[in-house]
Amino acid sequence: MSASDVNLQYVPTWCPGCGNFGIFNSLKKAFATLQLDLEQTVLVNGIGCSSKIGQYVNCYRIETLHGRSLPVATGVKLANHSLTVIAEGGDGDGMGLGMGHFVHTARRNLDISYFIHNNQVYGLTKGQTSPTSEPGMLTKFTPPPLGNVERPVNIVDMAISLGASFVARSYTGDMNHLADMMAQAISHRGFAVLDILQPCVSFNAINTYAWYQQRVRRIAETHDPENRDQARALAGLWGDEIPVGVFLREERPTFADSLAQLKDGPLASRPLEGADISGLMEELA
Amino acid sequence: MNKDFTCLFAGEAGYGVMSAGSTLAKAAGRNGLWAFVVNEYPSLIKGGLNTCLVRLAASPLQAHEESLDFFAGLSQEGLEQNYSRLKPGAALLVDTAIKVESSRLPSDVRVYLLPLIQKGSGDVAKIMSNSAMLGAFCAISGFPLELVETVLAGEFKPEVFAKNRELLRAAFELAAEQAVVASFPLPVGANPAQKMLINGNDAISMGAIQAGCKFAAGYPMTPGSSVLTYLADHGPQFGLVFKQAEDEIAAMNMLIGAGYAGVRAIGSTSGGGFALMVEALGFAGLAEVPVVMVNAQRGGPSTGQPTRTAQADLAFVINSSQGEFPRIVLAVGDVEECFVETFRAFNLAEKYQIPVIILTDKYLADSSVTHPFFNTNGLTIERGKLADETWLAANRPYKRYEFTDDGVSVRAVPGMAGGRHIATSYTHGEDGFYSSGNREYAATEPEITVKALDKLFAKEPHILAELPAVKLHGPETADLTLVAWGSTKGAALEAMELAKAAGLSVNLLQVLYMSPFPAAAVEAVLGKAKHTLLLEGNKTAQLGALIRMHTGIYIDDNYLKYDSRAFTPSLILEKIKEVLA
Ligand SMILES: Cc1ncc(C[n+]2csc(CCOP(=O)(O)OP(=O)(O)O)c2C)c(N)n1
Ligand code: SF4
């Protein structure tokens, strides 16, 4: 399989120059690198410019509601844990409406990868503040003089503290790095969070390609991703230097590993017929 | 109508009045009698007033009655609230700490004051008070003590049973000294046919297991939770996974994920939780993902009355979520329907690729009834147009949402070679692609929008043709036709029998499937009715409004009960007499 096999015939509708193109290309590349079986891969997305990616990729996809990709992905994974399940969505999608699901999905450590297209603004609804917007950012909903007065959510820091077992960050302006992070996240057995820095050329005048180009730094080889404290310290950095790379990698049993019902194979391949409920009835006799 | 016997056990939460009631009901059920058990409890864990009503008869029961032949009470409050329900000649058994006002008792009530609550030894003694209560009950009523013992022996560990039996016997002896031991007024004897003491939610859960359901998700909300508890507990031996979700929104979306991936999935909640699920309900509708939901109604909007009953979510549930899309709403009326119709719900969900909502209520969910074992013969699993890889290989390119005459297209699930597609919450065309915004679709958007909606609604006539949407009980024609739905069925059926015995001609139209609304079937019955009386557990006559909207028929009289308690046969009989007078 090559990257182009992942393409559908539809032409993406992102604005020219949008960071989502880079994410799309990197995703195709990661799929090709891993030689993923597209019939066995499910992409679950939310709603937003970012989430449109599912419309262009030729695997199984379910395009859910705004903010709800993770619980749907959870249902898919529990129904058929032999599938490769990838959830994608925006920072508004995932850190706004979807925040509760993010918190609890991370605690669960299901074998799902979660790619957050983090453009620090709402794109599809035309430029409102997002939970990751910079303080002072001027948007339709946070006009001058004050702009945004809330602290941004640090996705990487939060994912680490919540218990995600793989946490990484990448930048859409460095497609090779991004494709590599995606491939690592998908290969990881457990909940893998990938924070993807993605310029929105239409509504985010702060976090531009040039802005990122000056700040994005690959994490040094000396960093030990199995060291939580180190990962945390690194996650706290945001400003003149923005670290990208793998912050944390931890091997531990997944939620599905703990379920005896899944030992005989996926729920989806079990026969429906043949439940003998006579024991249940006798219990009530 | 048989002679019946009703006993009310009353006490604070924590004293085990509900297990006293179910022990008696089980003992009676195993020995030829039939029971109907209603638990009433406030929304708190300790204290307050819990009651457990056990109605017994020599033939099957389908509702409770208000008036009491026996009252067994451990709390003053319990007695205060129930003086007026005592029948003349009833027996009253209370703990010695309780003050009885003889002036408030009807004629010939025999009062037994006995030390039922064990003093001084904490929670354990408290819990065992119910054994003392049962022991004294047997002495006074003449119900065979050894039958109660047998049930308890099966429920407790040997040491615990020994302690309870000691207490049971001591209280029996003590009461026997005071009581003129009566012989129990119903024929208690062995009966070989196996029966269960089962409530509606257990029956729904069993129906789901029988249907091959393998995934359940939910967030606790009374009275919907007990389906989840049951499946969490009993599901694993059938390969079912239950996931407690972080909230109802997550639960519904997890069910959709599982349904999309080809697994039969069920959720259960009550109105408030269901309200949180409705955006996702529309998603299931538009993406055509099969999923089964239980909404066990409780009282009130908002948090309302967690532990009380109502039938007031009908209008909401059939209209819930934005936009227009079909869903199947089914209002089960008794334990048998809970089982059989839940089984059918899973078939319908997959055959029509549609969300199915089972509407029940606290009264049905939580009341137990003696019921024969379910007959599982003839329950066949039907998955409808589910693809397999051979079909997918022969039918390329695969169109997930192909427009068909019956609105149902072949469904592929992830992992199937050749079935890759997008399932989406956006209005879409045959290939599942978004109808707007993309250049490929922009010009045809209005056309696709119409076709997409027509596709969804094309299912409705086929669903209606398949459903046992209404049931007519009693004679074909009658002077009065009762119209009811859900758990009101039981009381209405018994009222119909009572009316017949009183020489009145009454039949009952039960509407079982509410959406799509079975207008033709309802019209066929009501068109022939001479006079109609609507029975509903809500204030605004929601079924009445539906009937009017779909058939133009106005129901002549309404009996609406929205006091947080269920209908009883005698209340309905009174109303029947009034209407026919
Ligand atoms: C329940 C609900 N609320 C609001 C919306 C409208 N909505 C669509 S996309 C979006 C925000 C998208 O922002 P983000 O997730 O950051 O993604 P982006 O478009 O920036 O990629 C919103 C609010 C919706 N579809 N559903
Ligand atoms: S609005 Fe922003 S995020 Fe959306 S497509 Fe345009 S550039 Fe991309």
Side-chain angles (χ1 to χ4, degrees), chain A residues 44-114:
Chain A
V44 186
N45 49 257
I47 296 296
C49 297
S50 40
S51 294
K52 286 186 180 179
I53 193 160
Q55 298 177 3
Y56 314 123
V57 180
N58 193 9
C59 57
Y60 275 95
R61 295 96 74 209
I62 177 161
E63 183 165 40
T64 73
L65 297 165
H66 189 41
R68 311 302 171 198
S69 62
L70 288 178
V72 174
T74 300
V76 172
K77 188 72 191 181
L78 288 173
N80 189 343
H81 63 285
S82 68
L83 298 170
T84 300
V85 179
I86 302 162
E88 293 206 43
D91 44 292
D93 183 76
M95 300 295 121
L97 280 184
M99 177 59 103
H101 308 311
F102 178 63
V103 170
H104 297 283
T105 311
R107 290 171 51 224
R108 273 170 210 145
N109 199 36
L110 271 155
D111 185 14
I112 294 172
S113 320
Y114 185 30

Side-chain angles (χ1 to χ4, degrees), chain B residues 36-39 198-201 335 362-369:
Chain B
F36 196 98
V37 182
V38 182
N39 293 311
I198 186 172
N199 68 36
N201 275 2
V335 159
K362 187 264 169 191
Y363 186 67
L364 178 55
D366 216 23
S367 301
S368 304
V369 57

